[in-house]
Amino acid sequence: EVQLVESGGGMVQPGGSLRLSCVTSGLTSLEYYIGWFHQAPGKDREGVSCTRRSTHHTVYADSVTGRFTVSSDSAKNTVYLQMKSLKVEDTGVYYCAASRSCALGVYGMDYWGKGTAVTVSS
């Protein structure tokens, strides 16, 4: 059974930083992609990043490029989303998800975590 569990959310002031974690289990193939997604209050879920497990190559949404960084600890089966220079509009729930491809974004992910909430507010 594939499981993804996010943690690390919380409240932070604008300009602050947070690091989210996504612990994965049951993903037997390195050919899975791990995506981070953001759902702002009242809005659709949108892609933040997509990482290929086998190469650790990551692509980012334009809105987070230069501010967010994905890293991985294979020994811990954990993918991290380091978020810096946070903005009020980064508020929402962050989900990690896994699939054989990120090409279809939200609609193509096979497995989802339950999310972790981030609030950016002064």
Side-chain angles (χ1 to χ4, degrees):
E1 179 186 8
V2 176
Q3 290 188 325
L4 299 95
V5 180
E6 306 94 335
S7 63
M11 181 175 290
V12 64
Q13 292 185 339
S17 299
L18 277 176
R19 189 179 76 162
L20 308 183
S21 300
C22 172
V23 179
T24 68
S25 61
L27 291 175
T28 56
S29 171
L30 285 177
E31 289 310 312
Y32 275 95
Y33 290 73
I34 302 296
W36 282 99
F37 296 83
H38 169 231
Q39 188 164 18
K43 296 189 176 181
D44 293 336
R45 198 171 300 184
E46 298 180 335
V48 172
S49 67
C50 182
T51 300
R52 187 174 184 178
R53 292 182 81 212
S54 59
T55 63
H56 302 290
H57 176 68
T58 301
V59 293
Y60 298 93
D62 289 345
S63 60
V64 305
T65 296
R67 299 190 300 123
F68 291 9
T69 304
V70 171
S71 61
S72 304
D73 185 334
S74 299
K76 296 182 178 180
N77 290 323
T78 302
V79 178
Y80 302 100
L81 180 67
Q82 178 69 53
M83 306 187 296
K84 298 181 179 180
S85 302
L86 282 161
K87 305 176 181 180
V88 171
E89 52 264 42
D90 295 321
T91 293
V93 179
Y94 285 77
Y95 300 87
C96 65
S99 182
R100 295 281 186 172
S101 169
C102 288
L104 297 180
V106 171
Y107 304 102
M109 306 309 286
D110 296 322
Y111 307 100
W112 289 89
K114 294 183 178 180
T116 184
V118 172
T119 301
V120 184
S121 175
S122 55

